[in-house]
Amino acid sequence: MKKFTTVSDVENLQEIIKKALEIKANPLSETEKGKGKTIGLVFLNSSLRTRLSSQIAAQNLGLNVLTLNAAQEAWNLEFADGAVMNGDTVEHIKDAIEVLNQYCDIIAVRCFAGMKSKEDDVNESILSQFEQHAKVPVISLESATRHPLQSLADCITITENWKKDHKPKVVLTWAPHIKPIAHAVGNSFAEWMQEMDVELVITNPEGYDLDPAFTKDTKVIHNQEEALKDADFIYVKNWSSFDDYAAMPEVKENWMLTNEKLANTNQAKVMHCLPVRRNVELSDEVMDGENSIIYQQAKNRIFSAQAVFSEILDDLKAE
């Protein structure tokens, strides 16, 4: 694995899920693998699970870990090509990345959608610069359009919880929120589920369809009750409009997941990437109920990261 920004960077999804589960059973099985190597974790946005799980995963492999909270601790960065830097920005991103090339064997970066320019976000205006200028492998810790380490953790969690003999029905359901939220988790989950042996259904209100480049031919149902029927897994997530970019069209129906809605399912396991706004996106009764596998999902962030870091180190060793 030479980089990790999308599911297409994974040669065999089932094999890396298997590897992650083996790591979970023995997290310290490769403590010498990263000896003498350094991973730089660059955060342009806030983080809890991604930051901590990545640090734990790297340490489990014996990697030296450098963590840069770029938005707070670095110079104000300039991202525009050809910019005349006579304003607030002090360092151009291409210069910062070139320095990281000198210090790190792997660069992992987290950046969010700006939610202002659809073109900039769809074209990954920040992540693309890391991919362009980095001379070492680049790992996405989330970007404007995708959250691949989260999606791999989701695949691991579904695999652990699926014990039956039929193809599971997995429903990605939109949830309410107080502000416009980016599409990365929803996009990424749809993209990765298409590589799993599941029946994927997406349900959201009119005006909230995700980018068809990610949903492709996945069935989209605008009636939540209909979509949830006989579901085995429910992934709860908010996102804003893609067509009317970053807008929040009015929704009159109640889309928050409750136990009453779960009664229509096949005792569905409930997932959420966290953080969650309780009793807005997801009710306390579901969040804290026996159907919730949300904290298991969060723990699996360690093993999704560790499996990817391990694969990257294998490739570095082979060079």
Side-chain angles (χ1 to χ4, degrees):
M1 187 185 294
K2 297 187 179 299
K3 66 184 183 72
F4 184 79
T5 62
T6 173
V7 70
S8 63
D9 294 321
V10 176
E11 185 173 337
N12 186 312
L13 178 54
Q14 290 304 315
E15 282 299 313
I16 200 167
I17 292 171
K18 180 182 176 183
K19 178 169 185 163
L21 290 171
E22 289 170 352
I23 289 170
K24 186 173 184 176
N26 187 4
L28 301 180
S29 60
E30 297 181 315
T31 54
E32 295 295 308
K33 194 168 199 176
K35 187 175 181 179
K37 300 290 186 183
T38 296
I39 184 169
L41 305 177
V42 181
F43 291 90
L44 296 171
N45 305 95
S46 302
S47 175
L48 190 155
R49 279 147 299 279
T50 299
R51 179 189 306 272
L52 299 183
S53 63
S54 297
Q55 289 175 335
I56 293 167
Q59 290 165 0
N60 285 349
L61 291 165
L63 280 159
N64 180 40
V65 184
L66 300 179
T67 302
L68 175 65
N69 302 310
Q72 293 84 35
E73 299 171 350
W75 300 110
N76 287 344
L77 292 170
E78 176 61 60
F79 294 95
D81 284 336
V84 177
M85 293 173 56
N86 58 0
D88 294 335
T89 56
V90 178
E91 184 160 30
H92 200 283
I93 187 63
K94 67 174 66 175
D95 300 321
I97 295 169
E98 186 55 51
V99 172
L100 289 170
N101 285 331
Q102 315 305 313
Y103 298 162
C104 304
D105 300 284
I106 304 168
I107 298 172
V109 58
R110 178 179 175 95
C111 53
F112 290 168
M115 303 297 286
K116 294 178 180 177
S117 167
K118 184 176 185 177
E119 181 180 5
D120 283 351
D121 290 345
V122 168
N123 291 327
E124 293 285 6
S125 61
I126 296 176
L127 179 63
S128 63
Q129 296 204 49
F130 278 85
E131 293 188 274
Q132 178 184 351
H133 299 297
K135 297 182 175 68
V136 300
V138 172
I139 295 171
S140 170
L141 302 177
E142 188 171 4
S143 69
T145 64
R146 293 179 172 93
H147 197 346
L149 283 177
Q150 177 66 58
S151 296
L152 177 54
D154 300 336
C155 293
I156 295 164
T157 307
I158 288 173
T159 300
E160 285 183 305
N161 285 277
W162 187 245
K163 311 297 183 186
K164 299 181 181 178
D165 59 359
H166 69 275
K167 180 183 291 191
K169 180 179 179 181
V170 179
V171 179
L172 171 62
T173 181
W174 181 90
H177 209 286
I178 65 168
K179 64 180 183 179
I181 299 294
H183 308 95
V185 172
N187 287 343
S188 200
F189 185 74
E191 191 171 54
W192 284 69
M193 285 299 106
Q194 289 159 14
E195 301 297 321
M196 293 278 283
D197 186 24
V198 303
E199 176 194 351
L200 176 64
V201 173
I202 300 173
T203 184
N204 54 259
E206 297 279 0
Y208 283 91
D209 288 358
L210 290 165
D211 183 350
F214 292 94
T215 59
K216 297 181 180 176
D217 59 354
T218 300
K219 182 185 292 185
V220 179
I221 300 174
H222 296 127
N223 182 305
Q224 189 187 41
E225 181 179 357
E226 177 187 346
L228 293 179
K229 182 174 173 54
D230 299 326
D232 298 295
F233 294 90
I234 302 172
Y235 201 109
V236 178
K237 189 69 181 88
N238 175 266
W239 57 84
S240 56
S241 175
F242 178 74
D243 287 338
D244 186 9
Y245 196 65
M248 297 176 65
E250 182 182 4
V251 176
K252 294 182 179 179
E253 302 86 359
N254 179 12
W255 280 74
M256 184 179 72
L257 190 63
T258 61
N259 277 343
E260 182 179 358
K261 293 180 181 181
L262 279 182
N264 190 38
T265 72
N266 188 21
Q267 297 182 324
K269 300 294 186 183
V270 178
M271 305 172 71
H272 191 289
C273 63
L274 296 175
V276 63
R277 288 183 180 262
R278 284 173 174 257
N279 302 310
V280 177
E281 297 175 78
L282 194 56
S283 62
D284 278 339
E285 62 181 7
V286 174
M287 184 79 187
D288 300 326
E290 61 183 13
N291 295 74
S292 173
I293 54 173
I294 291 169
Y295 299 129
Q296 178 185 353
Q297 188 183 355
K299 184 174 183 178
N300 283 337
R301 290 295 309 277
I302 298 171
F303 311 114
S304 66
Q306 195 166 331
V308 169
F309 296 172
S310 178
E311 291 283 300
I312 295 282
L313 286 169
D314 283 342
D315 192 74
L316 289 174
K317 187 177 180 181
E319 289 181 353

